[in-house]
């Protein structure tokens, strides 16, 4: 079964940290661009970060300097390290995978039709 599974969400106080994981099963992530997205209550889903198959990264302005995305192809897993969390970071975090040409700017990954989606993990930041 081809799937992505997120983990690592939870309840954290403002200023705290969490590390989310996105593990793939049934396929290898090596050739995929991975996007992290989030959806806050009552809001539309938004792109948070993308990492290309070669390790290039992109971040939404709202998380630059606080979030860091990385990948471990040997573990078939992508990580999102989140620091200095704010209540505005609260939401369900999803990872998604897409085969994206390296000729396309990485930031376009937020708008691509993804091949695979995880079911999400809830992050709650209390003030």
């Amino acid at each position: 079964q081809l799937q992505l599974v997120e983990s690592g969400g939870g309840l954290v106080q403002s200023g705290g940290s969490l590390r989310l994981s996105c593990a793939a099963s049934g396929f290898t992530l090596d050739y995929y661009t991975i996007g992290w997205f989030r959806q806050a209550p009552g809001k539309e889903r938004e792109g948070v970060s993308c990492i290309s198959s070669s390790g290039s990264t992109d971040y939404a302005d709202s998380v630059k300097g606080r979030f860091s995305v990385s990948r471990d192809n040997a573990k078939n897993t992508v990580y999102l390290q989140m620091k200095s969390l704010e209540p505005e970071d609260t939401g369900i975090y999803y990872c998604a995978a897409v085969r994206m040409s390296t000729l396309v700017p990485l930031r376009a990954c937020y708008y691509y039709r993804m091949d695979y989606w995880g079911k999400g993990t809830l992050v709650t930041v209390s003030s």
Side-chain angles (χ1 to χ4, degrees):
Q1 186 176 3
L2 308 178
Q3 61 178 357
L4 294 172
V5 178
E6 303 93 338
S7 61
L11 174 63
V12 64
Q13 288 189 333
S14 182
S17 300
L18 283 174
R19 188 178 80 156
L20 305 184
S21 299
C22 171
S25 61
F27 70 107
T28 178
L29 289 178
D30 290 22
Y31 304 108
Y32 284 82
T33 294
I34 307 300
W36 282 98
F37 300 82
R38 67 186 180 189
Q39 187 164 21
K43 295 187 178 181
E44 292 188 356
R45 187 174 63 201
E46 63 175 346
V48 174
S49 180
C50 288
I51 183 166
S52 72
S53 57
S54 63
S56 298
T57 59
D58 188 87
Y59 300 94
D61 290 343
S62 59
V63 306
K64 270 181 188 174
R66 301 188 298 120
F67 289 13
S68 177
V69 63
S70 61
R71 63 193 302 154
D72 186 339
N73 288 344
K75 295 184 178 180
N76 218 22
T77 300
V78 172
Y79 304 98
L80 184 68
Q81 178 68 53
M82 307 186 295
K83 300 180 179 179
S84 302
L85 284 163
E86 304 165 351
E88 293 73 22
D89 295 317
T90 293
I92 300 175
Y93 283 69
Y94 303 90
C95 66
V98 64
R99 293 285 295 260
M100 207 168 105
S101 168
T102 56
L103 298 178
V104 177
L106 181 57
R107 180 157 281 250
C109 100
Y110 303 125
Y111 309 103
Y112 253 59
R113 180 180 179 182
M114 295 298 192
D115 295 323
Y116 304 103
W117 283 90
K119 294 183 178 180
T121 185
L122 178 62
V123 171
T124 303
V125 184
S126 63
S127 56

